[in-house]
Amino acid sequence: MHVPDGFINVPVSAAAGVVAAGAVAVSLKGARRELDERTAPLAGLVAAFIFAVQMLNFPVAAGTSGHLLGGALAAILVGPFTGVLCVSVVLLMQGVLFADGGLTALGVNISDMAIVTTVVAYLVFRGLVKVLPRGRRSITVASFAAALLSVPAAAVAFTLIYALGGTTDVSIGKVATAMVGVHVLIGIGEAAITALTVGAVVAVRPDLVYGARGLTRPLKLRVAGELVDAPAAEPAPAAARSTRPVWIAGIVASLVLAGFVSFYASADPDGLEKVAHDKGIDKKAEDHATADSPLADYGVKDITDTRLSGGLAGVIGVGVTVVAGTAVFWGLRRRRTSDSSPAAVPESEQV
């Protein structure tokens, strides 16, 4: 669903850019409350993992493919504010380095793929978690449903943006029907990937999943015929809470997916590309500003071996994304720490 330059006119693209900038600013502030010493590096890993999985287009219909958007996955794993930033980092890397998604359309893409998917998914997820029985299975089920609904929601959002600023004269009804129809199918793939990933992390480290916080009920003891909360268990040693094994496993998985498995991804156009071509939305599409980038179209320039070129580009993309994401999230975490330190609090407010 990466919108290229030329699909949306300049005024609406600029307005979407303002919306995206405002949402990112709010998310930067909100993410400082979500991140801690353990989750900050994992947020960078989530961004890299989303980048890697987005390279794996899967077939959804005759001549059409889809790929992960990632908003639901990011929101559930690291929180909604941090999730918006994760997907935004991915979109920025893709647009600047890989000529995927127009630069003038970056605000449109962030609004659609980062904000809408994350907000819709997290609202659905939280609503389901409240009504489902508390347990790991409920987290997985809620993740599936949240991801499933987030993708057609993004398709609806694109249709609304196109209705406001589309550069071609195509019936909005036709665009909406085609976009929602194909993205419901893509949503099934998104839901499966999200549920499998969240379920795998919850199974081994539920403490690292933002959406699973408070998953277990407090232990009750019967005292004098009444049930009372048991004393809280002593925190596990720092070594037992290390995120290093999870981080290593995640980065290896990302490198393998982007560097090797991506070669076997579907070559069919994705949902938006297919609809744009069939309905004529792409008549005024413009060449990407970084079309001459050494990594454009997910290949390394001057390397003629297709498999090697694509795999190397994927590995570079994972590396750049994890570095950029980790730098952003560690910076936010350190700023939160400095803001909450005694030195940052006026003496009149200190106890």
Side-chain angles (χ1 to χ4, degrees), residues 6 12 52 65 97 101 129 152 161 163 167 179 186 191-192 227 234 285 309 311 319 332 342:
V12 174
S65 69
L97 298 179
V129 166
I161 294 172
T167 55
M179 283 293 291
I186 294 173
L227 289 177
E234 290 294 327
S309 177
L332 289 173

Side-chain angles (χ1 to χ4, degrees), residues 84-125:
V84 169
L85 298 178
C86 282
V87 182
S88 297
V89 167
V90 173
L91 292 172
L92 180 62
M93 296 299 103
Q94 290 171 331
V96 173
L97 298 179
F98 297 91
D100 189 8
L103 295 185
T104 63
L106 183 60
V108 173
N109 284 320
I110 290 176
S111 298
D112 193 20
M113 295 177 65
I115 300 169
V116 171
T117 58
T118 301
V119 171
V120 170
Y122 195 70
L123 289 176
V124 172
F125 176 81

Side-chain angles (χ1 to χ4, degrees), residues 45-224:
L45 174 62
V46 169
F49 184 78
I50 291 173
F51 174 91
V53 180
Q54 282 197 4
M55 294 183 67
L56 309 181
N57 280 46
F58 48 84
V60 295
T64 309
S65 69
H67 63 71
L68 182 81
L69 298 185
L73 179 63
I76 296 165
L77 288 179
V78 292
F81 293 109
T82 308
V84 169
L85 298 178
C86 282
V87 182
S88 297
V89 167
V90 173
L91 292 172
L92 180 62
M93 296 299 103
Q94 290 171 331
V96 173
L97 298 179
F98 297 91
D100 189 8
L103 295 185
T104 63
L106 183 60
V108 173
N109 284 320
I110 290 176
S111 298
D112 193 20
M113 295 177 65
I115 300 169
V116 171
T117 58
T118 301
V119 171
V120 170
Y122 195 70
L123 289 176
V124 172
F125 176 81
R126 295 308 306 176
L128 288 174
V129 166
K130 289 181 179 179
V131 299
L132 292 172
R134 297 179 76 177
R136 295 178 182 178
R137 183 174 299 178
S138 295
I139 297 296
T140 304
V141 171
S143 299
F144 185 95
L148 177 64
L149 294 175
S150 70
V151 178
V156 171
F158 169 80
T159 303
L160 293 176
I161 294 172
Y162 180 81
L164 293 173
T167 55
T168 54
D169 186 16
V170 180
S171 166
I172 300 304
K174 291 181 179 179
V175 174
T177 300
M179 283 293 291
V180 174
V182 70
H183 283 90
V184 165
L185 299 177
I186 294 173
I188 297 173
E190 176 107 9
I193 294 170
T194 301
L196 288 172
T197 305
V198 171
V201 180
V202 166
V204 295
R205 289 295 300 271
D207 59 304
L208 297 181
V209 179
Y210 184 88
R213 293 180 179 180
L215 176 64
T216 57
R217 295 181 183 273
L219 180 64
K220 298 285 187 178
L221 295 177
R222 186 174 296 278
V223 179

Side-chain angles (χ1 to χ4, degrees), residues 267-320:
D268 291 332
D270 66 21
L272 177 58
E273 290 175 318
K274 180 65 172 176
V275 171
H277 177 74
D278 290 348
K279 305 301 179 183
I281 298 175
D282 60 354
K283 291 179 180 178
K284 295 186 179 181
E286 301 173 1
D287 292 335
H288 200 284
T290 61
D292 294 330
S293 165
L295 299 173
D297 297 324
Y298 298 94
V300 178
K301 191 175 182 179
D302 298 330
I303 295 183
T304 56
D305 186 285
T306 304
R307 179 175 295 187
L308 178 61
S309 177
L312 186 56
V315 169
I316 293 172
V318 168
V320 171

Side-chain angles (χ1 to χ4, degrees), residues 29 33-34 83 104 114 144 193 214 243 252 257 262 277 288 300 324:
K29 185 175 181 179
R33 298 192 300 269
E34 294 173 344
T104 63
F144 185 95
I193 294 170
T243 61
V252 168
L257 292 173
S262 62
H277 177 74
H288 200 284
V300 178

